[in-house]
Amino acid sequence: MSFFSYLSSLIHVSDSLKAELLSITEELNVGRNEPIVEINNRCNDLFFIEKGLVRGFYYEGGKEITNWFAQEGEFATCFYSFIAIKPAFETIEALEDSILIRIPHAGLEKLYLKFPETERVGRIITEAYYIKLEERLLSLQFKNAKERYQNFVLSKPSLLQRASLGQIASYLGITQETLSRIRAGSH
Amino acid sequence: MSFFSYLSSLIHVSDSLKAELLSITEELNVGRNEPIVEINNRCNDLFFIEKGLVRGFYYEGGKEITNWFAQEGEFATCFYSFIAIKPAFETIEALEDSILIRIPHAGLEKLYLKFPETERVGRIITEAYYIKLEERLLSLQFKNAKERYQNFVLSKPSLLQRASLGQIASYLGITQETLSRIRAGSH
DNA sequence: TACCGATTTTGATATTTGTCAAAAATATCT
DNA sequence: AGATATTTTTGACAAATATCAAAATCGGTA
C-alpha cells in the first residue's frame, strides 16, 4: 500500500498537502539485515513501509529481544525516541529488502502546523498503536506461552515464514527452546 | 489539578474554546466503590480526574484484575471501547470519593472539528499513554515480580496507601500471595 | 470494646517456563 | 555439491511463581 493511498483513506489529500508531503518525505530502499535506526541514536524519523518487513529490537541480558514487527502498510519508528525526543533504546532493521517512506520529525511538526487536519492522522495512528499494545500487554499478562503463540499464528500468519523462531519467541516473551517445544507439541 | 489548567498547559484556551468545553463537559461526583462505567456497556466518555482515584478492572478466570489506576490530573476511560467504539471489557470504579470531568465522545469529535488545535491535545495525551503502556509492557516482560513491585513503589508511592494489596498485585500481574511474600521478604 | 467480615500472611506443594548443553537440521557461500 | 555457520530441536535440571488451604490481622460497627 502506498503512503498516499493510506493517507487518503483517513483525510482528504489536497494538491497542496501532497506537494508538502513530497517535499518533507523521502523514499528509502534498505536491504535485508540492514540497520535503519541504530540504538542510542535519536530516532528522528517515522517510517511508512510500502514494501517489506522491519523489526525493532534491543538487548536484554545480552540477548536480542524483538519488540515489534512492521510490514507493508504499517508505520515503524522507535516510538519512545520519536515522541519523547530521547535516544532510541532499540535498533530498527529490515528483515527483507524493503521500501520505506521516511518522515522526519521536524517535517511532521511543520506539517501539523501548516495543515492542522493532519493532526488527525497522527492521533488516529497513535490510537491504533495504543490498542495494539494494550492487546499485547493483556496477552502477556494472562495467556501462557502456548496461547500467545497460537494468537500470533492467527493474527500474523505471514510472519511465521518471514521471521525466525528466535525473533518470534522473544517477541512473545518466551525463550526459543520453549517456542520450539510448543511447536513440537501441537500437531 | 483542574481540567482547564491542564488544557492550558498544552494549548491556548481561548474564551470561545472555554465556552465550548463548558457546554460539552459535565462535572461528576462519585463515591467510594461506586461504578462509573460498567463492563459490556459502551464507554462513551473520557474522564479527567480533578480529585480522587479510580481504577479499571475486569474478570479473568473469575478474579478481578486491575488494569490501571488513575488519580488527580490524569485521564481515565476504557480506551479500547472509547476509540474502537466497542463494548467495554472493563469496569471503571472509584476507589475514593472523586470529582471527574466527563467528556462525551460525540462532544470531543465536535470539538476536534470546531477547534482543530484540540486534535493536538488528543494526540499528545494518547502519545503519553502509549509510552506509559510500553514501559509497563517491558516491565512485565523482563522484570521479575519483586522488581516490578519495587518499580511500582518508586513510581506510584501514594497508591500504596490508597489501593489494596490484591488490587496492586493483579495490576502487577502477580498473585496477592506472591506480593505479600515480596513485602515480607524485603526489609 | 468485642465481634464479624474482609484482607493479608504463611505453609506445603504443583506447574510453568527458563537455563545450559549438546545434537540435529537447515541455510549460506564458494 | 561440500564446508561452514546459523538456527532449531531435544534433554536434564533449576528457578520463579501459582495454587490451595488455613491462620492471623485489620477495620468498621453494634
Side-chain angles (χ1 to χ4, degrees):
Chain A
M1 188 185 224
S2 86
F3 183 46
F4 286 113
S5 48
Y6 174 83
L7 280 183
S8 300
S9 73
L10 294 177
I11 54 169
H12 170 66
V13 180
S14 65
D15 286 349
S16 59
L17 173 53
K18 191 162 186 173
E20 180 79 11
L21 284 167
L22 282 170
S23 85
I24 63 169
T25 62
E26 177 197 358
E27 191 177 304
L28 205 67
N29 280 269
V30 287
R32 176 173 153 78
N33 294 330
E34 196 177 315
I36 300 164
V37 174
E38 301 269 14
I39 197 163
N40 291 333
N41 291 346
R42 259 298 312 290
C43 173
N44 282 302
D45 307 300
L46 178 66
F47 299 95
F48 180 83
I49 300 162
E50 292 213 330
K51 178 180 163 299
L53 175 65
V54 309
R55 67 165 182 145
F57 71 94
Y58 54 89
Y59 292 92
E60 178 80 26
K63 284 179 191 154
E64 278 187 11
I65 306 295
T66 296
N67 198 21
W68 46 264
F69 297 102
Q71 54 186 321
E72 299 87 355
E74 298 182 332
F75 285 92
T77 187
C78 175
F79 208 88
Y80 179 74
S81 171
F82 188 75
I83 298 308
I85 319 208
K86 294 267 177 69
F89 63 82
E90 62 193 353
T91 296
I92 301 182
E93 73 167 17
L95 293 181
E96 300 172 355
D97 296 346
S98 303
I99 302 172
L100 313 180
I101 305 297
R102 177 211 294 273
I103 308 152
H105 191 272
L108 193 63
E109 284 292 333
K110 223 171 68 183
L111 189 73
Y112 285 152
L113 292 175
K114 203 158 163 189
F115 298 86
E117 68 270 29
T118 58
E119 293 262 15
R120 184 176 200 81
V121 181
R123 182 174 55 81
I124 289 172
I125 293 171
T126 311
E127 284 171 358
Y129 273 70
Y130 186 92
I131 286 172
K132 281 212 279 186
L133 196 65
E134 189 165 58
E135 283 172 0
R136 198 165 150 223
L137 186 127
L138 293 179
S139 159
L140 200 59
Q141 199 163 5
F142 299 108
K143 307 292 181 195
N144 63 28
K146 184 171 185 177
E147 291 167 330
R148 275 181 263 159
Y149 177 66
Q150 288 169 336
N151 186 53
F152 184 85
V153 171
L154 289 175
S155 64
K156 302 178 193 287
S158 71
L159 292 193
L160 291 177
Q161 340 301 337
R162 301 165 78 187
S164 77
L165 177 112
Q167 288 162 358
I168 293 170
S170 70
Y171 174 78
L172 294 174
I174 57 183
T175 61
Q176 59 175 23
E177 292 94 329
T178 296
L179 181 52
S180 177
R181 289 186 175 106
I182 287 168
R183 280 184 169 172
S186 70
H187 36 109
Chain B
M1 187 186 224
S2 85
F3 183 46
F4 285 114
S5 48
Y6 175 82
L7 279 182
S8 300
S9 72
L10 294 177
I11 54 170
H12 170 66
V13 180
S14 65
D15 286 350
S16 58
L17 173 52
K18 191 162 185 173
E20 181 78 12
L21 283 167
L22 282 170
S23 85
I24 64 171
T25 63
E26 176 198 358
E27 190 177 306
L28 205 65
N29 280 269
V30 288
R32 177 172 153 81
N33 295 329
E34 195 178 316
I36 299 163
V37 174
E38 300 269 15
I39 197 162
N40 292 331
N41 291 347
R42 258 298 311 292
C43 173
N44 282 302
D45 305 301
L46 177 67
F47 299 94
F48 180 84
I49 299 161
E50 293 213 329
K51 177 178 164 299
L53 174 65
V54 308
R55 68 164 181 146
F57 71 94
Y58 53 91
Y59 292 91
E60 178 82 26
K63 284 177 191 155
E64 278 188 12
I65 307 294
T66 296
N67 198 23
W68 47 264
F69 297 101
Q71 53 186 321
E72 299 86 356
E74 297 181 333
F75 285 92
T77 186
C78 176
F79 209 88
Y80 178 75
S81 171
F82 187 74
I83 299 306
I85 319 209
K86 295 269 178 67
F89 63 83
E90 61 193 353
T91 296
I92 301 181
E93 71 166 19
L95 293 180
E96 301 171 355
D97 296 347
S98 304
I99 301 173
L100 314 180
I101 305 298
R102 176 210 295 273
I103 310 152
H105 191 273
L108 193 62
E109 284 293 331
K110 222 170 71 183
L111 189 74
Y112 285 151
L113 293 175
K114 202 159 166 189
F115 299 86
E117 68 270 27
T118 57
E119 293 262 12
R120 183 174 202 83
V121 181
R123 182 172 56 80
I124 289 172
I125 292 171
T126 312
E127 284 172 358
Y129 273 70
Y130 186 93
I131 286 172
K132 281 212 279 185
L133 197 63
E134 190 165 60
E135 281 171 2
R136 196 165 151 221
L137 186 128
L138 294 179
S139 158
L140 200 58
Q141 199 162 5
F142 299 109
K143 306 292 182 198
N144 63 29
K146 184 172 184 177
E147 291 168 330
R148 274 181 265 158
Y149 176 66
Q150 287 170 337
N151 185 54
F152 183 86
V153 171
L154 288 175
S155 64
K156 302 178 192 288
S158 71
L159 292 193
L160 291 177
Q161 339 302 339
R162 300 165 79 187
S164 77
L165 176 111
Q167 288 162 359
I168 293 170
S170 70
Y171 174 77
L172 294 173
I174 57 184
T175 60
Q176 60 174 22
E177 291 95 330
T178 296
L179 181 53
S180 176
R181 288 183 176 108
I182 288 168
R183 281 183 168 173
S186 71
H187 37 113

